[in-house]
């Protein structure tokens, strides 16, 4: 076996392990109980995804909706909740998205002395503050986890992780 083959086989085994780890999904911000998705969405044809103006609601293999921030973010427009026939998504339960957004300082251009404001510009909530020209920081008290900064980052330094239900249920009025 040549060195190239050895390294290829090693890296492919790492990639397979990463792909097999299923991470929790980020749900639209209008639900009461996570369990309602598995109970009621399996009867639906994914209507909420059709009404999303930003096209970030995707329907998973289990027929439940999740948010995909790879192309845009959530405007909290309420259309998915209005369209939900099974009342899984309802305006009564409107809250911030159940996720925490952070910056990987190793990948971030600004943290590595390159002027970049790509994440700050699309942030409607002014949740990203810079210390001088560098060192952006996401202020958790301002961040709604809308996801607009994720696509804007040229180095994929913006990380998002699901917050378990009940840990951060901040209702939006």
């Amino acid at each position: 076996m040549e060195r190239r083959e050895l390294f290829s086989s090693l890296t492919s085994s790492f990639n397979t392990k990463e792909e097999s780890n299923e991470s929790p999904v980020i749900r639209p911000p209008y639900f009461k109980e996570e369990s309602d998705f598995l109970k009621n969405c399996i009867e639906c044809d994914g209507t909420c995804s059709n009404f999303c103006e930003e096209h970030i609601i995707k329907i998973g293999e289990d027929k439940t909706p999740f948010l995909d921030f790879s192309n845009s973010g959530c405007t909290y427009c309420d259309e998915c909740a209005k369209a939900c026939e099974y009342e899984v998504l309802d305006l009564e339960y409107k809250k911030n998205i159940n996720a925490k957004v952070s910056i990987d300082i190793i990948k971030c251009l600004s943290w590595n002395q390159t002027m970049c404001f790509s994440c700050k510009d699309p942030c409607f909530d002014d949740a990203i503050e810079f210390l001088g020209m560098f060192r952006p920081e996401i202020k958790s008290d301002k961040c709604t986890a809308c996801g607009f900064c994720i696509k804007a980052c040229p180095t994929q330094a913006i990380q998002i992780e699901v917050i378990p239900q009940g840990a951060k249920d901040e209702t939006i009025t």
Side-chain angles (χ1 to χ4, degrees):
M1 179 182 284
E2 290 184 28
R3 278 193 309 185
R4 275 190 206 136
E5 291 172 334
L6 174 65
F7 289 123
S8 294
S9 67
L10 288 174
T11 58
S12 68
S13 65
F14 288 122
N15 293 339
T16 306
K17 288 177 185 175
E18 286 177 18
E19 291 170 6
S20 66
N21 289 338
E22 287 188 31
S23 58
V25 295
I26 299 170
R27 301 290 187 190
Y30 300 93
F31 68 95
K32 182 177 182 183
E33 298 291 330
E34 179 80 26
S35 60
D36 290 342
F37 289 102
L38 294 173
K39 287 184 218 167
N40 299 323
C41 292
I42 57 173
E43 303 296 324
C44 184
D45 62 353
T47 306
C48 59
S49 68
N50 297 330
F51 282 84
C52 179
E53 352 178 286
E54 297 295 324
H55 308 290
I56 63 168
I57 298 179
K58 307 296 180 194
I59 304 301
E61 289 181 21
D62 62 357
K63 297 191 75 179
T64 64
F66 67 94
L67 300 180
D68 175 5
F69 297 119
S70 60
N71 291 316
S72 194
C74 181
T75 61
Y76 293 91
C77 69
D78 304 339
E79 294 303 317
C80 59
K82 291 175 188 174
C84 182
E85 300 169 26
Y86 292 91
E87 299 177 354
V88 174
L89 303 177
D90 193 308
L91 292 175
E92 177 182 348
Y93 307 119
K94 186 175 184 175
K95 58 185 167 267
N96 285 341
I97 293 170
N98 63 323
K100 180 180 188 282
V101 181
S102 61
I103 298 173
D104 181 340
I105 63 173
I106 302 297
K107 292 181 181 178
C108 177
L109 292 174
S110 286
W111 272 90
N112 289 285
Q113 310 307 313
T114 301
M115 196 178 305
C116 177
F117 296 101
S118 295
C119 61
K120 184 173 179 51
D121 293 339
C123 184
F124 297 130
D125 304 305
D126 290 326
I128 300 174
E129 295 180 3
F130 280 73
L131 179 62
M133 298 296 284
F134 304 106
R135 298 190 197 166
E137 181 179 283
I138 297 175
K139 299 295 184 182
S140 60
D141 60 326
K142 292 181 176 182
C143 182
T144 60
C146 68
F148 280 102
C149 59
I150 294 169
K151 179 186 182 282
C153 180
T155 60
Q156 291 81 42
I158 308 290
Q159 308 294 314
I160 188 160
E161 69 179 74
V162 175
I163 296 174
Q165 189 174 2
K168 177 188 172 190
D169 280 344
E170 297 175 13
T171 304
I172 298 174
T173 52

